[in-house]
Every structure is written in C-alpha cells, then in structure tokens.
Amino acid sequence: GTGLSADAADKHLNSSSTGIYLDLNIYTTAGAPVTGDDVYLLFSGSSDRDLFFRYNSPNWPSTVPHFNTLTINSSGDGNLVLDSSSSYVNGNLSTAYETIGTTGRGYVEQSSGSHLIEHHITMGYNAGGTGYYTMTGGNLEATDPGFGIYCGRSGSGEFTQSGGTVNPGTGFLTMGYYSSSVNNTYSLSGSGSFISTYTSTSATNSGVLIGYSGDGTFDQSGGQSQISQSIMLGRNATGDGTYNMSGGTLSSGDGSLNLYNGFYGTGTVNHSGGTIDLGTGGLYMGYFSGSQSDYTLSGTGTLISRTQDIGFRDTATFIQTGGTNQVWAIMRIGNQEIDGDGLYQISGGTLEPADGNAGFDISVGHSGTGRFEQTGGTVNLDDGTLFLGLNDQSEGTYILGET
C-alpha cells in the first residue's frame, strides 16, 4: 500500500459552495486533498451537484494523490455525483477505501481513466444507504494484488457497466453482504468486461458471491465475465442470488469454473441468451442441505460444463425450453443420498455432448432422488449411458411424453 503523508488530514466538501459543477481542488476545507487524507464529500442540499477533479489544477501536486478514505454521501433532496473520468489528475483516482452512499445516496460516474482501489470499495454501507456506480469506459482496478467490491453491505448497491474493465484482481465481488442488504444489482452490457482472478484452496470461498447473506442480482446482456475458480449464488442460508444471462459470455479465467447455484441459500439462473462456459468445471445446484436452486435455459442460451449436479444435497430444478446444454462427462440428478432431490424438465432445445466429446452419461437418482421429464426437445447422449437409480436407496424416473 501507499504510506500516509505527514500532513494527512480530514478534507470535507465545503457545503456553502454554490453552482452545479464543483471542483474538488477548490471547494474543500483545509486545502486540496493530498495523499493520506480522509476525503468526505458530504452533501445535504436540495439541488443536484456534479463534483469533479480538475486535471490541471494549480492546487494539486503533479503526482497522483492516494487518499486513505473517500466517502460520498448525500442526505438531502439533491444528488451529489462524482465524475471520476477524464478530469482525473493524470487520468487517475487512487484511494485505499471508498464508500459510496453511507446513510444516504452517493453516485460515481466513470467514462475514462483509471480508478485505483487498494482495499475496498463499498456501495450502500449502512442500512438506508444506496450507492450507484455507472461505468461506460476506463478501468476500475487494484493497486495491490486485489481489492473487494461490496455492492450492498448493509444498504443497497447498484453497479451499471456498459464499457470499460472492472478487475478486482485476486479480490472479490460480494453482493448483499448482510441480510439487511437488498435490491443489489450489477448490470453488465455492451463492451464491458469483468475479470476476477481470485483463487482459494477452500471450496467454500469464492471471488464472486451474489447474495452473500442478503440478496444480489447479476444481469448480463452483453460484454464478458471472466472468472477464476467459482461463482456462488446464495452463499449463506439467508442469501438469495440471481444470475440473469441474456447475452455476452461468462467463462473461466483458468479453464475451470464452478457455478454453485444455491450454496447454503437460494440460487436462480435465468439463461435466455449468450454463453456460460464452465470449461472443466461443474454446475452444482442445491449444494448444501437447506439450499434451493433453479435454472431456466431458454431462447438461444448455451451452457457448457464438464459435470452437472442437479440436486447435490438438496432440492433443485432445471427447466429447459430452448437453447443448448452441452455436457462433457456426466449429469447427476439427485446426487447425494437422503437430501439430494433433482428434477430436469425439457420441452425444447437440445441436451447433448460438448463439442468433440463422444458422449456423456445421465444418472437420474444417482444416490438420491431424481426425475427426468421430456415432453419435447432433443436429448442426445451419443455413446453415453442413461442410469436410473444407480446406487443403493436411490430412486430415478425418466418420463418421455406427457407427464
């Protein structure tokens, strides 16, 4: 990290400043912010204010300052918007900790430049706080190996990305950290790119946690998500995570990505377009007892994975009305005994081996209870095998035609 300067201090937005466009270099108390400062952009006015950093300000040093904290919050009727784009000093904004919306609202807009985070950036820090981040270009990235993005800690967060690159490195994206955190969304579209290289030796850790203890929704209609190791929807028992995929690509950064749809909590995937390619990783639905999981594949959506477990240790339902589901090795419906309970319904689309693979197996009722219902579409195992009730005390049912 970057050490604090000897004259580090608290710098506050001068609340008596007037006008729509405010220059942070001028309109802060105790002089322009410098490295190590705690910068508070707190606003209670009734009219909107746009705040920016002036690139060639005579009041700012030639090197990029690295703030200790940056807090953006509006408690009045007016909105305070930090434009952190081409007006950066030297094109960059750098801070150790950043909070957007503590108990009120905070806005950040980025269209260019580099936004550098050392530790955490949090949207919606406290209950009642809402943070908004809109990104159309530039980079949001780490100064160290990784940083954390909290999209809704106790409050709510809304991240909208239609361009640029978000790269927390070996850090994480967590949506809905506490159970009080609701209405958290991350929207990825256009040419936007989200990259996570987080890895861990523990299967219970992940770099992308959608609905940690609260709720979270990741909407992807374009762009690309490249994620190493795993994604978890509904991490804890109270967590509720949703991934809506209608375009773009979601793929592995290291060749293997596990998608836990309902880890301890509730997970939902609505997949109507674009490609989810897990590589040599797997889809795990209803991973632990007490979880709940749903996956809907429709339209032109394509899912590719090595394995698929529908009802790993609890209840899960996969409904396919269109699209393509490609499996490399095996699909297990009702994997674990006692609690594993899975249902696969197909009325349209294709279930087939992954490209270049001679076939795959389907085990309905692997060690638990499984049911496969086909009223339409195409199921092609090629050289694979269909197993019903494979292991002791398991129960498997395959229905072809009307149920």
Side-chain angles (χ1 to χ4, degrees), residues 78-232:
N79 297 318
L80 181 65
V81 181
L82 174 63
D83 183 358
S84 58
S85 301
S86 58
S87 54
Y88 289 138
V89 57
N90 294 338
N92 297 319
L93 169 64
S94 182
T95 181
Y97 299 92
E98 184 168 331
T99 302
I100 308 169
T102 53
T103 56
R105 302 175 310 283
Y107 297 80
V108 170
E109 296 178 353
Q110 182 179 2
S111 60
S112 62
S114 292
H115 196 152
L116 308 175
I117 307 294
E118 184 179 354
H119 295 300
H120 298 149
I121 180 170
T122 303
M123 287 151 278
Y125 190 87
N126 293 320
T130 304
Y132 301 88
Y133 199 114
T134 301
M135 186 176 192
T136 58
N139 300 294
L140 175 60
E141 56 189 343
T143 58
D144 279 346
F147 71 94
I149 301 174
Y150 290 101
C151 188
R153 181 182 175 274
S154 293
S156 300
E158 182 176 313
F159 200 111
T160 304
Q161 182 187 4
S162 60
T165 300
V166 175
N167 184 1
T170 58
F172 56 83
L173 167 65
T174 297
M175 302 182 66
Y177 186 73
Y178 288 113
S179 59
S180 62
S181 179
V182 296
N183 301 321
N184 303 298
T185 60
Y186 192 117
S187 299
L188 178 62
S189 63
S191 60
S193 178
F194 177 86
I195 301 171
S196 172
T197 57
Y198 175 96
T199 58
S200 172
T201 56
S202 173
T204 61
N205 294 330
S206 174
V208 178
L209 301 150
I210 303 173
Y212 187 78
S213 292
D215 74 27
T217 299
F218 196 112
D219 292 317
Q220 184 173 357
S221 59
Q224 64 170 344
S225 292
Q226 190 176 84
I227 299 169
S228 298
Q229 190 163 322
S230 67
I231 302 175
M232 291 182 182

Side-chain angles (χ1 to χ4, degrees), residues 9 27 37 65 133-134 242 331 383:
Y27 292 109
D37 280 354
Y133 199 114
T134 301
T242 300
M331 172 187 288
D383 291 338

